[in-house]
Amino acid sequence: MKYPELEKVAITNNTCLTLRVRGHLIKPRLANQIIHTYSVQRLRTEIHAAYPDGSVIVEPLPSEEVENESQDTTQSIADLGVSHAVEKRLIKAGINTIEALTAMTAQDVIDIKGIAECSLQEIEEALTKMNLSLQEAGNE
């Protein structure tokens, strides 16, 4: 008997809750958490039933897109996984790639209108998860 292949999906959690989806913890305000499922449509239906307001989004990913995924710093700022508000402020300030962000110091980030200490901490945590960091002051 041949079993169906697992499909890869990206789940975006726009809620303030940590969710458990098929054994995976999806942290609050996390974009594009990749999980595997046998049926994207069934998962999408289950998520939509639980979160009909669209606060949790399931998007199928082509397998080659996931296989080519890397910790490349030229990734879009959307790949950082910060809250939508922080992402929007970075983009508005012209910071569109992770490479551009990692070239900045913590003070440079704080100087962006609408970015406070808590947003800076969120950015630093997201970069740490990617084994990246902001520049040290004086190392620019």
Side-chain angles (χ1 to χ4, degrees):
M1 176 178 183
K2 185 176 180 183
Y3 293 100
E5 289 187 32
L6 286 171
E7 298 178 63
K8 297 169 187 168
V9 296
I11 297 180
T12 299
N13 178 8
N14 292 319
T15 72
C16 58
L17 307 170
T18 297
L19 308 176
R20 182 175 294 278
V21 176
R22 304 253 167 109
H24 298 276
L25 289 178
I26 312 296
K27 293 187 178 185
R29 310 279 183 223
L30 185 67
N32 300 323
Q33 168 82 30
I34 297 172
I35 68 168
H36 295 81
T37 184
Y38 285 111
S39 172
V40 174
Q41 188 56 43
R42 183 173 176 188
L43 177 61
R44 190 181 270 163
T45 301
E46 290 170 4
I47 295 293
H48 181 70
Y51 300 94
D53 62 352
S55 59
V56 180
I57 303 164
V58 176
E59 291 296 326
L61 296 174
S63 56
E64 64 275 356
E65 180 178 324
V66 175
E67 289 167 9
N68 292 333
E69 225 179 336
S70 68
Q71 297 303 333
D72 184 5
T73 57
T74 60
Q75 290 176 302
S76 165
I77 204 71
D79 297 331
L80 189 57
V82 293
S83 67
H84 180 69
V86 171
E87 178 184 324
K88 188 175 174 182
R89 287 182 181 108
L90 290 170
I91 291 170
K92 189 171 183 178
I95 312 303
N96 297 310
T97 65
I98 294 173
E99 180 179 37
L101 181 61
T102 58
M104 300 174 73
T105 65
Q107 187 58 52
D108 294 335
V109 175
I110 289 289
D111 290 343
I112 296 172
K113 184 177 180 176
I115 299 287
E117 283 292 328
C118 61
S119 300
L120 175 63
Q121 184 177 3
E122 182 182 349
I123 291 166
E124 289 176 328
E125 287 172 5
L127 287 171
T128 300
K129 288 178 186 175
M130 299 177 82
N131 296 320
L132 298 170
S133 64
L134 295 171
Q135 292 289 318
E136 299 275 333
N139 289 347
E140 301 163 55

